[in-house]
Amino acid sequence: MARVKLGFSRFSITVKILRARMIVQSMTGNPNFSTLPPEIDLPVIADAIDLLEKTAQAAIKGGTDKNLAKYLADATLVGLMSKLQDYVQVASNGDPLVIESSGMEVRRERVPAVLLDAVNNPDATVGKNAGEVLVTWDGLAGSKGYVVEMKLPANAIPQAIPDGGNTDVMLPSAAASEWVRIDTVTKSRLVVQGLETGQVYSFRIAAFNAAGQGAYSQTVSSVAK
């Protein structure tokens, strides 16, 4: 069932006036809302709109009394529009076309985030400088960022590997047989530095979003220059 979206309290006074007038005009003579309850009176709402416009203009010149009048007129209109929103929700029976005929909007339903698929086209190539490997991959729509993991060659000497942000990642002796997360990035590339020249390193990437971390990419490898 569709829900009515109004969001009136967050609008500026100018927008409130314009939108309220449009809604009153859309609902006047609208067969979808032909039977209004006693507490809903479109002419009364129209008068409240005019009063808010009048008091807002008067408050431009300042003065506590004028600003108070504007505040009260604003609160009155917001209250009336809230009741009108409730009525449209019930009278429309959740039909989005009927809701939109009132001049109001249909609230978008939040779609729960789902885990992302594996990153495509990962690649690892020799970097420009000694001890560097460039890891790249295709960006994935809907991702908030990417985690990059590396596996040391079995005969590599454990060492401190600076990541893309110049922060050392200390690799324990067991890291030669385990995947180690070396960085989290938002771009689809990472220059891994401080590697041992002549050794072959393996990498894998996974995208993440609000649902968590998705599947890993295929493993790619490159020798460090």
Side-chain angles (χ1 to χ4, degrees):
M1 180 176 69
R3 304 291 301 177
V4 179
K5 177 183 177 182
L6 185 61
F8 225 63
S9 58
R10 62 183 174 84
F11 292 145
S12 67
I13 286 180
T14 300
V15 174
K16 287 177 184 176
I17 291 171
L18 292 174
R19 287 184 63 85
R21 280 190 173 140
M22 180 191 69
I23 291 169
V24 169
Q25 181 179 1
S26 297
M27 293 188 65
T28 299
N30 188 329
N32 292 318
F33 309 104
S34 57
T35 306
L36 294 171
E39 65 272 17
I40 303 296
D41 191 331
L42 295 180
V44 170
I45 296 177
D47 289 342
I49 298 169
D50 291 340
L51 180 60
L52 177 57
E53 183 176 43
K54 180 180 178 180
T55 55
Q57 290 176 346
I60 293 176
K61 297 181 179 179
T64 302
D65 57 336
K66 294 181 176 61
N67 279 293
L68 177 59
K70 180 186 71 172
Y71 172 81
L72 294 174
D74 185 15
T76 297
L77 181 59
V78 169
L80 290 171
M81 294 303 297
S82 179
K83 290 181 179 179
L84 190 59
Q85 176 186 4
D86 292 341
Y87 163 71
V88 169
Q89 182 65 62
V90 173
S92 68
N93 198 28
D95 186 327
L97 294 179
V98 175
I99 292 173
E100 291 175 345
S101 76
S102 72
M104 299 186 189
E105 298 179 356
V106 175
R107 186 181 301 277
R108 285 186 178 180
E109 295 294 334
R110 290 189 176 182
V111 178
V114 296
L115 292 176
L116 297 169
D117 294 332
V119 170
N120 293 319
N121 297 322
D123 191 24
T125 56
V126 176
K128 294 181 178 180
N129 303 307
E132 289 185 353
V133 169
L134 172 63
V135 184
T136 61
W137 57 93
D138 289 348
L140 201 57
S143 68
K144 298 294 184 182
Y146 307 89
V147 296
V148 182
E149 295 187 356
M150 180 180 73
K151 181 183 286 188
L152 287 173
N155 61 343
I157 301 174
Q159 55 187 309
I161 305 247
D163 66 17
N166 296 319
T167 302
D168 286 349
V169 178
M170 300 303 298
L171 302 180
S173 57
S177 61
E178 297 177 355
W179 286 102
V180 178
R181 181 169 299 186
I182 57 173
D183 208 349
T184 300
V185 296
T186 56
K187 296 181 180 180
S188 55
R189 68 190 307 273
L190 174 67
V191 177
V192 185
Q193 301 171 321
L195 303 177
E196 186 178 352
T197 300
Q199 294 285 359
V200 176
Y201 295 84
S202 298
F203 303 90
R204 66 181 184 181
I205 308 100
F208 64 87
N209 60 6
Q213 181 179 309
Y216 285 106
S217 68
Q218 293 181 333
T219 300
V220 292
S221 302
S222 175
V223 65
K225 179 180 177 182

